[in-house]
Amino acid sequence: MDANHVGSNYPNEFGSFRLASLPGQSLATAGDTVLPVMEASKYVVRRITLTNFSGSATAANVGVYTATSRGGTAVAAAATYSGASSTAAYVDLTLSAAANANVFTTQALYFNIATAAAGVTCDVNLYGDIVSL
């Protein structure tokens, strides 16, 4: 293989691939939003990052789960993040023990807002390693 030619390689041959994205996700209403996982039938979650806050979201309580209403397996249990304060800020959600030990196969995870932050939006990105396409 030519080391200078990566165009023919698949995403499962690289690490820390963005597997899911929710640009401009509103934090204004409690509830679930589907976080669709693309390109992978099996994957390892490495990080979930919130960026580009439209205002202070320090009171928002958010998490990621395998089922609605904070059901199934917690990928990142609901928590508040003091760093979620401006467009220049970013927050990495704290991954659960299950996320640090398991390969996931579900094509839909659920971004859950337990406590809302009125009028605030952010970008949600899930990064990981693809085990198989």
Side-chain angles (χ1 to χ4, degrees):
M1 178 173 99
D2 182 358
N4 294 321
H5 184 74
V6 297
S8 62
N9 292 336
Y10 292 102
N12 62 323
E13 297 175 30
F14 298 94
S16 226
F17 192 73
R18 184 168 66 182
L19 301 173
S21 179
L22 291 173
Q25 172 63 43
S26 173
L27 301 178
T29 306
D32 295 302
T33 301
V34 175
L35 183 60
V37 177
M38 301 175 218
E39 302 294 328
S41 60
K42 290 184 178 181
Y43 57 95
V44 175
V45 174
R46 297 292 184 193
R47 135 178 136 255
I48 302 167
T49 303
L50 308 183
T51 60
N52 199 27
F53 296 96
S54 65
S56 178
T58 57
N61 189 308
V62 300
V64 176
Y65 301 86
T66 59
T68 60
S69 302
R70 290 181 270 164
T73 301
V75 178
T80 58
Y81 294 93
S82 61
S85 58
S86 70
T87 57
Y90 78 92
V91 171
D92 282 339
L93 302 187
T94 303
L95 296 180
S96 68
N100 285 315
N102 291 306
V103 172
F104 291 91
T105 57
T106 182
Q107 297 298 267
L109 295 175
Y110 297 90
F111 180 74
N112 177 270
I113 302 165
T115 304
V120 179
T121 62
C122 71
D123 297 337
V124 180
N125 291 292
L126 182 141
Y127 297 91
D129 296 331
I130 296 174
V131 176
S132 63
L133 294 173

